[in-house]
Amino acid sequence: MTENGHPSPHTPAPDGTDQARATRPKQTPLEQMGGTTGLVYMALPIVAFVVANSSFGLTYAICIAVGVAVAISVLRLVRKEPLQPALSGLFGVAVASFVAWKTGSAKGFFLTGIWSNAALAALFLISLLVRRPLAGIVWGALNGSGTAWLRDKPARRAYDIATLTLVGVFAARCAVWQWLYAEDRTGWLAIARILMGYPLLALAFLSVLWAGRRATQRLKMLSAQQPATSS
């Protein structure tokens, strides 16, 4: 409160707006991707591509898949839903469709998924080898906790486990999808792409949450053990 009786610019609003803003829960990565609805949106272009390819051929399948992805983006925009997941999905479908068109094969639609998961598995594995587990780096960047956990072995070990879990997810995707690709089983590729997509990643994300909580508890405990410094 200032001397003239007016509220200070740093005084919390009487209606509790500042407190509500501070206590408002952050969105989880799954919520940022659109939640359960986002999972359905992710599957629709893939299903449309496979069904259209079996009925009308590759060219029509590409057009229909891209059309469905565009329609989802427009629908999200009209409903004022998070647009970033839809745009990411549209970009992914466009790139996958381009690869399918260049290879002249429907199974080429799934090549980018195989390549990207192979690259992610290698990247996360390398981060373990250089003792900078990427699960912790990414999680710290997302929630603003930073990388103080790197100085604590138990906390780093927790993120090692989470990172190794993600390596397993990416490697499993790559192995299964590559085998189905080599066997020319486009329909099963679509099913595997959906089932091993967000659902499997959500399960792996539980290990990241566990590691994050463990690291936070460790840092709080170490901070409490430090002797208070005199001012």
Side-chain angles (χ1 to χ4, degrees):
M1 186 76 68
T2 60
E3 293 181 358
N4 58 8
H6 294 294
S8 168
H10 300 290
T11 302
D15 59 354
T17 303
D18 290 347
Q19 182 179 2
R21 186 181 297 111
T23 58
R24 186 181 303 158
K26 295 181 180 180
Q27 283 189 324
T28 66
L30 180 59
E31 289 172 339
Q32 292 175 355
M33 290 185 291
T36 305
T37 304
L39 302 183
V40 176
Y41 287 160
M42 180 272 295
L44 285 178
I46 300 174
V47 174
F49 176 85
V50 174
V51 172
N53 179 70
S54 62
S55 302
F56 309 110
L58 180 60
T59 301
Y60 283 102
I62 291 174
C63 295
I64 291 174
V66 173
V68 169
V70 171
I72 290 173
S73 299
V74 173
L75 178 62
R76 279 187 175 274
L77 182 61
V78 171
R79 297 177 62 177
K80 297 181 179 180
E81 295 177 350
L83 193 58
Q84 188 274 332
L87 294 179
S88 298
L90 175 59
F91 176 77
V93 170
V95 173
S97 298
F98 175 76
V99 174
W101 174 70
K102 289 295 289 184
T103 60
S105 172
K107 67 180 183 179
F109 185 84
F110 302 95
L111 267 178
T112 54
I114 298 173
W115 295 339
S116 62
N117 277 273
L120 286 170
L123 182 62
F124 275 71
L125 182 59
I126 291 173
S127 75
L128 281 175
L129 297 178
V130 298
R131 302 173 65 82
R132 294 294 185 274
L134 200 52
I137 301 294
V138 174
W139 182 245
L142 287 175
N143 63 14
S145 60
T147 57
W149 51 269
L150 281 170
R151 296 187 293 271
D152 181 64
K153 287 185 178 180
R156 189 175 66 238
R157 191 177 303 115
Y159 279 123
D160 284 341
I161 295 173
T163 301
L164 189 60
T165 301
L166 286 166
V167 170
V169 168
F170 297 135
R173 284 177 176 178
C174 182
V176 173
W177 296 351
Q178 177 59 42
W179 177 75
L180 292 172
Y181 179 87
E183 294 292 320
D184 201 18
R185 299 185 180 182
T186 305
W188 281 106
L189 254 175
I191 294 174
R193 175 72 177 269
I194 295 171
L195 295 181
M196 300 180 73
Y198 285 165
L200 191 58
L201 189 61
L203 291 177
F205 180 67
L206 293 177
S207 68
V208 180
L209 282 177
W210 166 80
R213 289 173 181 172
R214 179 171 174 78
T216 300
Q217 292 171 355
R218 285 285 307 173
L219 293 179
K220 286 182 178 179
M221 182 187 69
L222 293 175
S223 178
Q225 291 175 350
Q226 292 179 355
T229 58
S230 57
S231 56

